[in-house]
Amino acid sequence: MAIFWEQLERYQPVVVKMLTKSLEKGRISHAYLFEGQRGTGKKAMSLLLAKSLFCLHRSGIKPCNECRNCRRIDSGNHPDVHVIEPDGQSIKKEQIEMLQQEFAKMAVESDRKLYIIEHADKMTTNAANSLLKFLEEPRPGTVAILLTEQYHRLLETIISRCQVFSFKPIPPALLANYLAEQQIPPHIALLAAHVTNSHEEALELGRDDWFAQARKIVLQLYEMLKKNDLQALFFIHDQWIPHFQEKQQIDLGLDLLLYIYKDMLHIQLGQQDKIIYRDKIDNLQQWALSCSQRQIVKNMEMILQAKARLNTTNMSVQLLMEQLILDLKEGKAFV
Ligand SMILES: [Zn+2]
């Protein structure tokens, strides 16, 4: 799918403004570092920058997205645009050396060459040192774009050679709008947009029946908890455990439960615009009335503790959830 500057501008206005300005002035750096969370558009931006530099039918700085060069960049087949990704767990010295050999030759089709290093923080020390030498002696016409989600793991000396752009997390409301445009029902869209910052992942969740069902089960569990614990315990056995099986799914289920408490807290703080389960606002308002703020916060802590136990111990899901149900009950004593 071709991406345009206008689309990225909605999500990363500052980065787009600075990059388009340098393109307009023909002042392209030898090395860029794009840092930010997963799903913030770093890769899309780097490919767009590549197309803006290589496009045969540019209008202003905008690539046509249709010419031979644009299409080859999209499909990863342009001889002067290279993308390096981790080979297994890391980016190895040999990968950087191959890149250097490739770049020692003249550009195949133009006077420009561009390379993108994904997950640049995963370079081994040797690879990073090789790259550093490369960055220190840039050949004219060479552009490097390093991408990372873990900025602090890069060598200081590498960072200082690059022009750094920070990619901001995408506001959930903006992501939810995008999902709604893709025909995802609004109540699912808003929830998915809070679970992840990535467009692809959110879209996948939004289209997944499992996710819609997960939402239903979590809301039902909360209603059970409001009634009595015994029912909630039965519900855990009958509905929750069969649905949330993988560790990742359980973790997600706990997040969805956490959002109910967050919503109640936002209602109590008068921040209605932050509510995630917006279609349940009447219930949430009712529930929020019957809880103290302290109790809500306490219960949120209990869920976070369960999440921590899930990720650090081998406790069975059944035990973990039973314990949580009892802990959430205990929370009520704090009213
Ligand atoms: Zn083009």
Side-chain angles (χ1 to χ4, degrees), residues 131-151:
L131 181 73
L132 188 60
K133 270 185 232 143
F134 202 25
L135 290 174
E136 278 167 350
E137 299 152 14
R139 286 174 68 104
T142 298
V143 180
I145 308 175
L146 278 54
L147 314 182
T148 181
E149 293 161 23
Q150 311 268 349
Y151 178 61

Side-chain angles (χ1 to χ4, degrees), residues 93-142:
K93 190 182 176 195
E94 297 74 51
Q95 289 177 274
I96 302 295
E97 281 174 348
M98 271 183 45
L99 186 73
Q100 282 164 321
Q101 281 162 20
E102 187 59 43
F103 273 69
K105 302 175 206 158
M106 286 303 286
V108 180
E109 296 192 1
S110 63
D111 51 358
R112 221 182 251 293
K113 270 178 170 277
L114 180 144
Y115 62 96
I116 298 166
I117 302 185
E118 288 192 73
H119 301 286
D121 51 278
K122 294 200 169 138
M123 279 187 286
T124 61
T125 313
N126 283 339
N129 283 325
S130 285
L131 181 73
L132 188 60
K133 270 185 232 143
F134 202 25
L135 290 174
E136 278 167 350
E137 299 152 14
R139 286 174 68 104
T142 298

